Amino acid sequence: MSEKIDKAMALFKERKYEEAIDAFSLVLENEPDNADIYNNMGVAYSCLGNFDQAERFYTKALELDPELAQAYINLSDLYYKAGDLPSALGTLQRGTYELPENLAIAHLLARVYIEDQRWEDAIIELERVLDGEPENYDAYYDLGHVCFELGDYESAISNFENVIEYNANNELLYYALAQAYEGNNEIDKAISNYLKSIAVNDKFTLAYKKVGVLFLAREDFEDAIEYFEDYINFDIPEEEKESVGKLIERIKSKIA
């Protein structure tokens, strides 16, 4: 029987999904209670765009083995991509009930809570993840995002700083940290981190506009002009380019 499974998996890895489904079906003739095979067939159907069949096979896999973690993950992802957040949440909630020690499911549940703006529920799951995986920097980033949305900028800063200790080469991370500092009214630190995001990616247009606005608010007019001019040289909508261009002219007339 292992030869049939090996053949089916080889076809699957070669992305020959229809042939793989046929091969998996042959395995099920002799192993009708093999939850892993049902899960694999669900993945194959999903890759073919047949989501109804994928749902059917993932569900069957979980009926046979309620502790098959990957089937919860796959089924919830199917629902999530279809925009069915309640079903995605229900699947992951059941997964955390059946497998309370599985932190991958808990983290996915937190992210769907975030998508559904259920911030407090997301915090509970993320803190549980970090209790078990204190170096899970993706969880720190997600928790920072939730704290930012709740207006807890100090906690957002702390979580983003934890991630930067691990990954100091990500413009989006510096941008998020800068926004948190800005929300906490620490303008110098906000400017510093917007500039770091630009240092990592000198084509990161949003940071140019943000730092220009903060320089302007601080009445550092020359610096504001510099970053606004850099900003309008990027491929941005003409309406935006015209609006910022007029702002530059007003600043220049003010300091003339």
Side-chain angles (χ1 to χ4, degrees), residues 1-9 27 31:
M1 185 55 59
S2 62
E3 291 181 5
K4 289 185 178 180
I5 294 175
D6 290 343
K7 179 183 177 181
M9 290 304 301
V27 175
E31 296 185 35

Side-chain angles (χ1 to χ4, degrees), residues 86-136:
S87 293
L89 281 171
T91 301
L92 292 169
Q93 287 166 340
R94 180 188 167 197
T96 58
Y97 174 80
E98 296 286 353
L99 298 163
E101 303 303 316
N102 190 299
L103 299 181
I105 294 176
H107 197 172
L108 285 174
L109 177 57
R111 286 180 165 172
V112 181
Y113 279 140
I114 291 170
E115 185 76 15
D116 204 34
Q117 298 186 6
R118 292 173 58 172
W119 309 120
E120 298 298 336
D121 289 327
I123 288 173
I124 291 170
E125 295 303 321
L126 289 169
E127 288 181 343
R128 187 157 72 88
V129 171
L130 288 168
D131 282 342
E133 296 177 350
E135 295 187 358
N136 187 326

Side-chain angles (χ1 to χ4, degrees), residues 43-245:
V43 175
Y45 276 116
S46 180
C47 291
L48 289 171
N50 190 333
F51 301 127
D52 288 341
Q53 281 289 75
E55 179 186 21
R56 175 186 162 218
F57 278 90
Y58 291 144
T59 301
K60 182 63 176 180
L62 290 172
E63 287 176 5
L64 293 169
D65 184 1
E67 295 185 356
L68 185 57
Q70 194 59 48
Y72 289 109
I73 292 170
N74 292 339
L75 181 57
S76 66
D77 184 61
L78 192 75
Y79 289 136
Y80 178 82
K81 288 177 178 175
D84 186 355
L85 289 185
S87 293
L89 281 171
T91 301
L92 292 169
Q93 287 166 340
R94 180 188 167 197
T96 58
Y97 174 80
E98 296 286 353
L99 298 163
E101 303 303 316
N102 190 299
L103 299 181
I105 294 176
H107 197 172
L108 285 174
L109 177 57
R111 286 180 165 172
V112 181
Y113 279 140
I114 291 170
E115 185 76 15
D116 204 34
Q117 298 186 6
R118 292 173 58 172
W119 309 120
E120 298 298 336
D121 289 327
I123 288 173
I124 291 170
E125 295 303 321
L126 289 169
E127 288 181 343
R128 187 157 72 88
V129 171
L130 288 168
D131 282 342
E133 296 177 350
E135 295 187 358
N136 187 326
Y137 298 102
D138 288 337
Y140 280 117
Y141 181 86
D142 291 335
L143 186 55
H145 171 69
V146 172
C147 291
F148 181 86
E149 291 294 334
L150 290 172
D152 184 357
Y153 301 119
E154 289 188 2
S155 294
I157 289 165
S158 176
N159 282 288
F160 290 142
E161 292 280 14
N162 280 335
V163 185
I164 281 178
E165 289 182 12
Y166 166 73
N167 181 3
N169 196 39
N170 186 313
E171 68 273 20
L172 293 174
L173 181 54
Y174 282 116
Y175 187 84
L177 180 58
Q179 287 186 302
Y181 275 122
E182 186 178 351
N184 209 40
N185 203 30
E186 297 181 70
I187 302 305
D188 288 345
K189 290 182 178 179
I191 289 173
S192 173
N193 281 281
Y194 284 130
L195 292 175
K196 287 177 182 176
S197 72
I198 291 170
V200 173
N201 179 359
D202 63 6
K203 294 181 175 58
F204 188 38
T205 57
L206 288 177
Y208 285 91
K209 183 177 182 180
K210 277 282 193 177
V211 79
V213 169
L214 292 185
F215 276 133
L216 178 60
R218 207 170 63 176
E219 298 188 349
D220 292 341
F221 298 123
E222 296 291 343
D223 288 330
I225 291 169
E226 176 186 348
Y227 283 93
F228 283 139
E229 287 181 335
D230 286 340
Y231 175 66
I232 63 174
N233 283 326
F234 287 108
D235 184 19
I236 60 175
E238 285 300 320
E239 183 178 346
E240 171 80 350
K241 189 172 292 192
E242 182 179 347
S243 174
V244 176

